[in-house]
């Protein structure tokens, strides 16, 4: 879906850009985004495209992905703009010397959906670590100004105590390394250490972002995350069925809020520091999310609790995040939970208008 042709999506981007003046600092600069057609990467790219379409001085966008066709399907005519450059990039086998110079890099490529992580634990681990290593080598050789690595809240693991409090960046939990579902969290954690090692040994300017649970209308049809499936259900007026107790607490964040948070961390974050991405107005339970989406889509909300939780999904009881460090950089979200889920459903309901 070419969301740039969806007037509700454009209105939401304009709403975000009206308060996110920090982006002006990127005028005339260039940014390379890996995973640019994914949920988070495409949200950043859409924000930058809209900025370029409404400003004379452009931001050069290097959108990295495996498929040029997929990139064109996602961004349509905007993928052919002078400021938009497709770059072939596979986190498992890319050679850093093939990448162009850019002032900034945001690295968000890799397996992120529960089904892929569960089915491809080897590829998940290799792509996370090797992809970042390739980018660090590239950045060192081309003297890239700053890199933001998109990690995950799953690196915190499970806590046995104080489970009612959100994670701070200095907190640590337990991760079962004998469970292959944790190939994602363990490789993300190892990649964070790789980034910090490059800061120490190579004096690289790298910052780390740890997003919570990101949602929005720019989801892939193949996305098996509960929030993605339920947003589609709500937009189609279908029943939303919860197959658990729904008591797990998550830090949900609208994808456009995540995009501005990442750009804030990129521009204002301190070298070698990690920052949680969480909207304090969107720390809710999975059940709360289901109820918000049911209301947004005027759909029925049913609970059919299974005897055993699906092993594909994150088992953390409370993965909520403390966003104090991010807020101290001057960031503020635009979408609380109820508003954000309503906006996501509205965009998908609206479809795309003809070009």
């Amino acid at each position: 879906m070419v969301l740039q042709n969806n007037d509700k999506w454009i209105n939401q981007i304009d709403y975000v850009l009206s308060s996110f003046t920090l982006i002006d600092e990127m005028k005339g600069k260039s940014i390379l985004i890996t995973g640019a057609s994914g949920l988070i990467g495409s949200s950043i790219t859409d924000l930058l495209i809209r900025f370029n379409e409404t400003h004379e001085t452009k931001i050069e966008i290097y959108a990295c992905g495996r498929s040029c066709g997929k990139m064109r399907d996602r961004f349509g005519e905007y993928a052919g703009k002078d400021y938009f450059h497709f770059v072939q990039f596979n986190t498992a086998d890319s050679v850093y010397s093939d990448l162009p110079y850019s002032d900034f890099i945001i690295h968000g490529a890799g397996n992120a959906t529960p089904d892929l992580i569960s089915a491809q634990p080897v590829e998940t681990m290799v792509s996370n670590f090797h992809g970042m290593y390739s980018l660090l080598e590239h950045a060192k050789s081309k003297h890239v100004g700053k890199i933001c690595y998109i990690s995950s809240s799953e690196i915190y693991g499970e806590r046995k105590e104080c489970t009612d409090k959100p994670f701070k960046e200095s907190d640590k939990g337990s991760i079962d390394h004998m469970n292959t579902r944790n190939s994602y969290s363990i490789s993300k954690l190892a990649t964070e250490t790789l980034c910090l090692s490059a800061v120490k040994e190579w004096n690289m300017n790298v910052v780390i972002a740890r997003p919570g649970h990101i949602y929005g209308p720019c989801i892939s049809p193949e996305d098996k995350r509960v929030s993605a499936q339920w947003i589609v259900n709500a937009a189609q007026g279908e029943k939303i069925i919860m197959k658990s107790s729904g008591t797990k607490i998550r830090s949900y964040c609208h994808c456009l809020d995540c995009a501005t948070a990442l750009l804030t961390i990129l521009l204002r974050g301190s070298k070698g520091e990690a920052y949680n991405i969480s909207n304090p107005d969107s720390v809710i339970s999975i059940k709360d999310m289901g109820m918000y989406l049911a209301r947004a889509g005027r759909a029925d909300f049913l609970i059919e609790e299974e005897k055993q939780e699906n092993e594909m999904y994150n088992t953390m009881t409370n993965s909520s995040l403390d966003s104090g460090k991010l807020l101290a950089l001057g960031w503020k979200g635009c979408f609380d939970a109820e508003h954000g889920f309503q906006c996501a459903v509205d965009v998908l309901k609206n479809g795309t208008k003809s070009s």
Side-chain angles (χ1 to χ4, degrees):
M1 179 189 295
V2 182
L3 287 178
Q4 288 285 340
N5 293 332
N6 187 309
D7 55 357
K8 287 189 178 295
W9 180 241
I10 291 300
N11 288 341
Q12 290 170 22
I13 292 178
D14 288 344
Y15 167 62
V16 170
L17 285 175
S18 66
S19 60
F20 186 60
T21 58
L22 187 61
I23 196 172
D24 288 337
E25 294 184 11
M26 298 184 70
K27 287 180 179 179
K29 302 289 186 179
S30 57
I31 182 168
L32 185 146
I33 304 167
T34 71
S37 62
L39 171 61
I40 294 176
S42 67
S43 301
I44 302 168
T45 305
D46 273 344
L47 200 71
L48 297 174
I49 286 174
R50 183 59 180 168
F51 180 87
N52 282 345
E53 291 297 304
T54 55
H55 291 77
E56 184 175 349
T57 304
K58 312 300 183 187
I59 301 168
E60 292 291 315
I61 304 169
Y62 292 94
C64 295
R66 297 179 183 180
S67 166
C68 182
K70 187 174 182 180
M71 205 70 70
R72 289 193 175 276
D73 288 343
R74 176 61 180 82
F75 300 109
E77 64 185 277
Y78 300 95
K81 295 284 186 174
D82 290 341
Y83 57 73
F84 191 104
H85 314 278
F86 170 70
V87 179
Q88 187 84 32
F89 183 81
N90 187 325
T91 53
D93 57 21
S94 285
V95 179
Y96 68 86
S97 59
D98 292 341
L99 298 174
Y101 169 81
S102 60
D103 295 296
F104 304 108
I105 294 175
I106 293 181
H107 179 42
N111 288 348
T113 59
D115 56 324
L116 282 178
I117 295 169
S118 180
Q120 300 177 349
V122 173
E123 291 85 349
T124 296
M125 295 197 74
V126 171
S127 64
N128 276 338
F129 196 84
H130 186 274
M132 189 70 244
Y133 177 73
S134 295
L135 286 173
L136 288 169
E137 285 275 20
H138 157 71
K140 182 176 69 167
S141 67
K142 296 288 181 66
H143 304 289
V144 172
K146 196 169 186 180
I147 306 170
C148 178
Y149 171 57
I150 303 178
S151 184
S152 169
S153 60
E154 288 195 32
I155 64 97
Y156 289 113
E158 186 68 71
R159 286 182 299 196
K160 294 182 179 180
E161 298 177 356
C162 301
T163 56
D164 60 327
K165 294 183 179 180
F167 283 101
K168 292 185 176 181
E169 287 82 355
S170 58
D171 288 341
K172 299 174 182 64
S174 173
I175 302 175
D176 180 6
H177 68 281
M178 297 299 286
N179 180 350
T180 58
R181 169 58 181 82
N182 292 328
S183 60
Y184 179 76
S185 54
I186 289 173
S187 57
K188 283 286 188 181
L189 188 57
T191 305
E192 285 195 10
T193 304
L194 175 65
C195 290
L196 297 177
S197 299
V199 170
K200 179 179 180 180
E201 184 175 343
W202 297 343
N203 196 31
M204 310 258 328
N205 193 352
V206 186
V207 287
I208 296 166
R210 296 172 180 164
H213 290 249
I214 311 305
Y215 68 90
C218 41
I219 45 179
S220 165
E222 292 82 32
D223 196 330
K224 302 301 181 185
R225 283 174 281 203
V226 172
S227 59
Q229 294 177 346
W230 284 359
I231 287 171
V232 172
N233 292 151
Q236 296 175 349
E238 299 173 350
K239 294 177 182 178
I240 293 176
I241 302 174
M242 186 173 70
K243 296 184 178 181
S244 71
S245 62
T247 57
K248 291 178 179 177
I249 303 299
R250 303 289 185 246
S251 281
Y252 292 97
C253 188
H254 190 280
C255 56
L256 289 178
D257 275 345
C258 181
T260 59
L262 284 164
L263 292 173
T264 299
I265 293 168
L266 180 68
L267 295 170
R268 289 286 182 267
S270 298
K271 180 168 69 173
E273 290 291 323
Y275 298 86
N276 289 332
I277 296 180
S278 171
N279 187 331
D281 296 323
S282 292
V283 179
I284 58 174
S285 69
I286 295 174
K287 182 178 180 181
D288 289 334
M289 173 181 66
M291 294 174 66
Y292 282 139
L293 284 169
R295 284 204 292 270
R298 298 182 181 179
D300 293 331
F301 179 59
L302 305 177
I303 300 176
E304 297 179 0
E305 188 170 345
E306 293 182 336
K307 293 182 179 180
Q308 184 173 354
E309 296 262 359
N310 193 319
E311 293 181 353
M312 288 197 311
Y313 298 107
N314 180 3
T315 60
M316 295 169 69
T317 303
N318 182 351
S319 63
S320 61
L321 305 174
D322 185 309
S323 56
K325 281 183 69 175
L326 174 61
L327 297 176
L329 297 179
W331 178 82
K332 181 175 174 57
C334 291
F335 303 90
D336 63 22
E338 186 167 14
H339 181 212
F341 285 117
Q342 182 68 65
C343 285
V345 170
D346 287 346
V347 170
L348 291 187
K349 275 186 174 182
N350 190 47
T352 56
K353 63 185 180 181
S354 58
S355 302

